[in-house]
């Protein structure tokens, strides 16, 4: 048997030899010079060093290094110049794959070459990098999320959910956001003003560092082995702190009990009479009407959304209905973050400034459909000791606005987005969709479509599709309209008790009220609304079939919906075609289907087009 290798004592480990030590030494010198001057190119040199350390073959010249990552023309030219100078000094036959005698090893720095300030830092940091390989060999810092950050909350939530007996081992996005919000100071759904990032943005970092894994569609999030270990450490630290705080609270309670037993100051009212207390209790039992109970009084802000009282259940007609009583919520305008960032930044910031100047209470967040809408947000008092007030429940009012400039309208008509947007607005669950059209003035004459076509599209949107259309001249008028609408809705809903309903309950609550001109008081939550309006979510066969039908020229959303009521899938439509006795009957199969409010027939021309699309073998003529 071969003799075992001798054990090396000490902290230094043997580094593998680099086949290109000259290039490595020159890159290290360039990096150190840039670092001492405070130049950002030091990071480029460091990346090139890392790539060169991983390359196992010798290079004959710097041009061959272009195949490596982070080696551009500039670095290769510098290395070639240094190589030519090296050959002039040591001769054309000098070895380039080994260092000259007495030269320091590559990747290490001589303390004599350090600037005075760097020497001081090196002497002060000797305990952090003993026996290491210099700056290039610095130990990588372990990733630990900051307390009450997005990553911290997600890791702890997934870990604690996995410890529950019978746990499914994963969480969906919405339930993960709802559970993790209690452990995070930043919102998971609402970005800060002027930013597009939320606490949920840290999940991509967790996935990249292999702490969290994302699978399936809809997405499922679960912990990896590394994430489980890190989350367990975070939870143990949290439990330790919670235990110490609990001990302090128990000590305080014991002290208070001792003070009560000893008759501590401020705890016993010496002027009160026991007989008076007994008489008050007796009067409460005999005359309950003179002392109204909590159920008869207006509910407090903290109770506003619980909906647990008998009065709220009786008023709603549904058990456990979630309600917002008048005075327990505020009306807030929600602005899509696309309307405040990117594109024409000056014009979009002008909208924000106008809203601020008008004193509008608004919030910038991501909206999956529409540009503006209004929510009723529960008002909750701040909790002592917490930085931010707890997040209240949010219900979406039945008004949503899509803003269109004339140039944007022209582009959306050309690429087909306009019809799809109208279809999504009708299906978003809100009953009052609106288009806010900004005129471009003289700019409309330079668009790809004639102005008459654009005007016809606007009229069709109002008359045929049933949208309310408001025309304004510029951004300032748009802000003025949003301001007026916000104040109008605040007054309209000020005496309404709002009930939370599910989006699946179509037509639940409010049709009678709408006919009388009063607002609907049965609303869906913002989280359910925004999740249901995701554009690229997993679609059913029925939804894909509807999108296919709407690609046919002249087939609007109402016509597609009417076809889907009769034939919900392509298979059911093809089966109906097979039952027809002749070609003429197949072509007229859909012609008698009625659509829209006027219940007009679909017509033979459109019926023939759909038949040809789905039943013609080969290319369409």
């Amino acid at each position: 048997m071969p003799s075992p290798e001798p054990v090396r004592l000490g902290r230094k480990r043997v580094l593998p030899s680099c086949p290109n030590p000259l290039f490595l030494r020159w890159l290290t010198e360039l990096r150190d010079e840039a670092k001492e001057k405070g130049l950002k190119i030091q990071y480029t040199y460091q990346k090139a060093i890392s790539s060169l350390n991983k390359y196992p073959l010798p290079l004959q010249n710097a041009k061959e290094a272009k195949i490596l990552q982070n080696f551009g023309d500039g670095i290769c030219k510098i290395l070639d110049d240094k190589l030519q100078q090296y050959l002039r000094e040591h001769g054309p036959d000098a070895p380039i794959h080994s260092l000259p005698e007495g030269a320091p090893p590559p990747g290490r720095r001589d303390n004599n070459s350090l600037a005075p300030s760097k020497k001081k830092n090196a002497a002060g940091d000797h305990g952090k990098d003993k026996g290491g390989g210099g700056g290039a060999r610095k130990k990588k810092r372990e990733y630990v999320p900051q307390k009450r950050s997005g990553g911290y909350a997600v890791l702890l939530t997934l870990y604690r959910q996995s410890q529950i007996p019978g746990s499914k081992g994963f969480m969906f996005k919405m339930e993960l956001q709802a559970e993790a919000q209690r452990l995070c100071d930043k919102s998971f759904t609402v970005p800060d003003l002027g930013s597009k990032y939320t606490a949920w943005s840290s999940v991509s970092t967790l996935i990249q560092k292999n702490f969290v894994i994302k699978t399936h569609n809809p997405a499922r999030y679960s912990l990896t082995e590394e994430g489980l270990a890190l989350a367990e450490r975070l939870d143990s630290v949290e439990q330790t702190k919670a235990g110490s705080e609990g001990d302090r609270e128990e000590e305080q309670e014991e002290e208070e009990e001792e003070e009560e037993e000893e008759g501590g100051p401020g705890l016993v009212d010496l002027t009160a009479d026991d007989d008076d207390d007994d008489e008050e209790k007796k009067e409460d039992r005999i005359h309950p009407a003179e002392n109204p109970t909590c159920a008869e009084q207006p509910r407090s802000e903290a109770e506003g959304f619980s909906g647990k009282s008998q009065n709220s259940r009786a008023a709603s007609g549904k058990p456990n209905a979630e309600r917002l009583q008048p005075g327990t919520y505020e009306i807030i305008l929600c602005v899509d973050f696309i309307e405040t960032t990117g594109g024409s930044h000056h014009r979009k910031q002008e909208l924000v400034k106008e809203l601020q100047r008008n004193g509008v209470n608004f919030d910038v967040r991501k909206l999956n459909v529409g540009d503006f809408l209004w929510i009723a947000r529960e008002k909750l008092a701040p909790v002592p000791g917490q930085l931010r007030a707890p997040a209240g429940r949010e219900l979406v009012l039945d008004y949503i606005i899509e803003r269109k400039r004339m140039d944007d309208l022209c582009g959306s008509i050309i690429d087909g987005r306009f019809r799809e947007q109208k279809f999504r607005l009708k299906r978003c669950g809100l009953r009052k969709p609106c288009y806010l059209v900004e005129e471009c003035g003289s700019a409309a004459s330079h668009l790809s479509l004639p102005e008459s076509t654009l005007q016809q599209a606007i009229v069709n949107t109002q008359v045929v599709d049933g949208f309310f259309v408001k025309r304004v001249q510029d951004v300032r008028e748009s802000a003025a309209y949003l301001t007026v609408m916000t104040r109008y809705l605040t007054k309209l809903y000020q005496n309404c008790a709002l009930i939370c309903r599910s989006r699946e309950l179509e037509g639940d609550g409010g049709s009678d009220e709408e006919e009388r001109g009063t607002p609907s008081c049965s609303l869906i939550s913002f989280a359910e609304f925004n999740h249901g309006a995701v554009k690229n979510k997993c679609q059913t066969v029925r939804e894909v079939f509807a999108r296919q039908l709407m690609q046919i020229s002249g087939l609007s959303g109402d016509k597609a919906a009417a076809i889907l009521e009769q034939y919900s899938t392509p298979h059911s439509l093809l089966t109906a075609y097979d039952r027809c006795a002749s070609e003429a009957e197949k072509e007229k199969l859909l012609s008698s289907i009625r659509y829209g409010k006027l219940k007009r027939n679909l017509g033979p021309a459109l019926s023939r087009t759909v038949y040809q699309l789905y039943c013609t073998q080969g290319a369409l003529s």
Side-chain angles (χ1 to χ4, degrees):
M1 294 179 60
S3 59
E5 295 183 0
V7 179
R8 296 181 180 271
L9 302 178
R11 297 183 180 180
K12 294 184 179 180
R13 60 185 179 89
V14 179
L15 299 175
S17 58
C18 177
N20 303 286
L22 279 177
F23 290 159
L24 184 61
R25 186 181 74 174
W26 294 332
L27 285 173
T28 305
E29 292 173 354
L30 291 170
R31 181 204 63 193
D32 295 342
E33 290 175 4
K35 190 174 183 180
E36 290 175 1
K37 294 178 182 179
L39 302 178
K40 291 185 178 180
I41 199 174
Q42 60 174 303
Y43 304 112
T44 305
Y45 290 135
Q46 180 58 51
K47 292 177 182 178
I49 291 173
S50 301
S51 297
L52 190 61
N53 275 322
K54 297 175 184 177
Y55 191 65
L57 302 178
L59 299 171
Q60 300 302 322
N61 52 59
K63 291 181 181 179
E64 295 183 3
K66 281 190 177 182
I67 62 173
L68 303 180
Q69 280 187 330
N70 306 300
F71 274 83
D73 294 334
I75 291 180
C76 291
K77 187 177 184 304
I78 293 174
L79 293 179
D80 269 332
D81 293 342
K82 287 184 174 291
L83 180 60
Q84 296 301 324
Q85 183 180 356
Y86 174 81
L87 294 177
R88 285 196 298 269
E89 293 176 357
H90 297 83
D93 298 329
I96 62 173
H97 299 116
S98 61
L99 292 174
E101 295 183 1
R108 302 178 185 271
R109 297 178 59 186
D110 189 4
N111 287 340
N112 295 330
S113 64
L114 289 174
S117 62
K118 301 295 180 180
K119 289 182 183 179
K120 183 178 179 181
N121 292 338
D125 296 341
H126 70 282
K128 298 180 182 178
D129 196 17
K130 291 181 181 179
R137 307 292 180 185
K138 191 173 182 179
K139 185 177 179 181
K140 191 173 182 180
R141 185 179 177 183
E142 183 184 7
Y143 172 79
V144 178
Q146 188 177 0
K147 186 174 181 180
R148 297 198 67 81
S149 65
Y152 175 89
V154 168
L155 286 174
L156 273 186
T157 303
L158 288 174
Y159 172 74
R160 291 174 181 176
Q161 196 273 342
S162 66
Q163 300 304 306
I164 300 174
S167 169
K168 57 193 176 191
F170 62 86
M171 296 184 74
F172 293 106
K173 180 178 178 179
M174 287 191 66
E175 62 176 333
L176 179 56
Q177 287 179 336
E179 292 294 328
Q181 187 61 71
R182 296 176 296 179
L183 302 173
C184 183
D185 292 331
K186 193 174 181 181
S187 173
F188 274 89
T189 56
V190 183
D192 294 334
L193 185 61
S195 173
K196 61 181 180 179
Y197 297 105
T198 63
W200 184 255
S201 305
S202 59
V203 174
S204 59
T205 303
L206 297 177
I207 296 175
Q208 181 182 1
K209 294 185 178 295
N210 198 31
F211 291 123
V212 173
I213 185 171
K214 174 183 175 183
T215 57
H216 295 80
N217 189 7
R220 300 178 180 181
Y221 298 88
S222 56
L223 291 174
T224 62
E225 293 184 1
E226 298 177 8
L228 186 64
L230 177 58
E232 190 173 3
R233 287 167 47 198
L234 295 176
D235 186 65
S236 63
V237 173
E238 188 75 16
Q239 295 296 337
T240 303
K241 291 183 179 179
S244 61
E245 292 176 359
D247 294 340
R248 286 197 296 269
E249 290 178 357
E250 289 179 1
E251 291 175 0
Q252 291 177 358
E253 290 176 359
E254 291 176 359
E255 291 175 359
E256 291 175 358
E257 290 175 359
E258 291 175 359
E259 288 181 358
E260 288 180 359
E261 293 175 359
E262 296 172 1
L267 297 176
V268 179
D269 187 4
L270 300 179
T271 62
D273 190 358
D274 294 339
D275 296 336
D276 295 340
D277 294 340
D278 294 338
E279 289 178 1
E280 289 178 1
K281 294 177 182 177
K282 190 182 295 182
E283 288 177 0
D284 290 344
R285 290 194 296 270
I286 298 174
H287 306 288
E290 297 178 3
N291 297 296
T293 61
C294 294
E296 295 169 345
Q297 296 175 352
R299 295 198 297 170
S300 63
E301 292 182 1
E303 188 196 352
F305 220 128
S306 63
K308 303 283 183 173
S309 68
Q310 295 178 356
N311 288 350
S312 64
R313 287 197 294 270
S316 65
K318 306 186 193 79
N320 299 325
E322 294 181 334
R323 296 170 66 89
L324 275 177
Q325 294 292 351
T328 63
Y329 60 87
E330 56 183 342
I331 304 300
I332 297 174
L333 170 66
C334 290
V335 182
D336 187 18
F337 77 95
I338 297 297
E339 295 295 310
T340 61
T341 59
S344 179
H345 185 71
H346 173 74
R347 178 172 60 85
K348 293 184 176 181
Q349 286 302 312
E350 185 179 353
L351 174 68
V352 174
K353 291 178 181 177
E354 284 293 323
L355 292 175
Q356 292 173 342
R357 190 178 296 118
N358 296 340
V360 178
N361 190 9
F362 71 95
D363 194 5
V364 179
R365 59 180 68 183
K366 181 179 180 181
L367 302 179
N368 291 323
V369 64
D371 296 322
F372 307 98
L373 56 83
W374 288 265
I375 61 170
R377 178 191 290 171
E378 182 185 17
K379 293 188 290 187
L380 295 178
V383 178
Q386 288 189 5
L387 181 62
R388 298 187 178 185
R393 302 289 182 90
E394 295 177 340
L395 299 182
V396 185
L397 306 188
D398 276 326
Y399 297 81
I400 183 170
I401 291 180
E402 177 76 24
R403 183 170 71 154
K404 286 287 184 189
R405 281 169 53 91
M406 293 296 280
D407 51 355
D408 184 25
L409 177 63
C410 176
S412 61
I413 291 175
I414 293 174
D415 60 20
R417 285 185 293 115
F418 187 50
R419 298 175 63 204
E420 184 199 16
Q421 285 174 348
K422 289 191 291 186
F423 181 76
R424 293 179 64 219
L425 279 172
K426 279 194 172 184
R427 300 293 175 180
C428 70
L430 305 185
R431 301 181 177 98
K432 302 288 186 180
C434 170
Y435 266 92
L436 184 62
V437 181
E438 287 184 8
E439 308 286 352
C440 291
S442 59
S445 59
H446 303 290
L447 299 178
S448 303
L449 296 177
E451 188 174 358
S452 59
T453 302
L454 299 178
Q455 297 296 340
Q456 186 64 51
I458 295 173
V459 172
N460 289 344
T461 301
Q462 187 169 10
V463 177
V464 179
D465 299 317
F467 287 88
F468 177 77
V469 177
K470 173 65 177 178
R471 299 190 186 213
V472 293
Q473 290 298 322
D474 52 19
V475 178
R476 185 166 297 180
E477 283 194 16
S478 295
Y481 178 72
L482 294 172
T483 303
V484 172
M485 276 293 296
T486 303
R487 293 170 183 168
Y488 167 74
L489 292 175
T490 302
K491 183 178 181 181
L492 186 66
Y493 282 88
Q494 63 182 357
N495 296 322
C496 293
L498 307 181
I499 305 171
C500 181
R501 65 174 170 86
S502 175
R503 182 177 178 178
E504 285 116 15
L505 303 177
E506 292 295 335
D508 179 22
S511 60
D512 296 336
E513 289 86 344
E514 287 178 1
E515 292 177 0
R516 294 195 300 266
T518 58
S520 169
C521 298
S522 178
L523 308 174
I524 61 178
S525 67
F526 176 80
E528 185 178 2
F529 159 79
N530 217 26
H531 183 261
V534 176
K535 185 175 182 180
N536 295 323
K537 65 178 181 178
C538 187
Q539 297 176 339
T540 63
V541 176
R542 179 186 176 91
E543 292 172 335
V544 175
F545 186 33
R547 286 175 176 267
Q548 288 179 353
L549 291 173
M550 289 182 63
Q551 300 307 310
I552 301 174
S553 177
L555 208 157
S556 62
D558 287 339
K559 296 176 182 178
I563 296 175
L564 288 174
E565 289 180 5
Q566 299 286 337
Y567 310 101
S568 59
T569 62
H571 181 267
S572 62
L573 179 61
L574 294 175
T575 303
Y577 282 135
D578 291 338
R579 293 174 185 162
C580 296
S582 62
E583 288 293 316
E585 187 179 352
K586 292 180 180 180
E587 291 181 354
K588 295 179 181 179
L589 176 66
L590 306 179
S591 60
S592 59
I593 292 179
R594 298 181 179 273
Y595 70 94
K597 295 180 180 179
L598 301 179
K599 298 301 179 183
R600 294 177 176 173
N601 290 336
L602 205 63
L606 205 52
S607 176
R608 188 185 310 110
T609 303
V610 175
Y611 166 69
Q612 291 175 351
L613 176 63
Y614 284 95
C615 296
T616 301
Q617 299 292 334
L620 293 174
S621 56

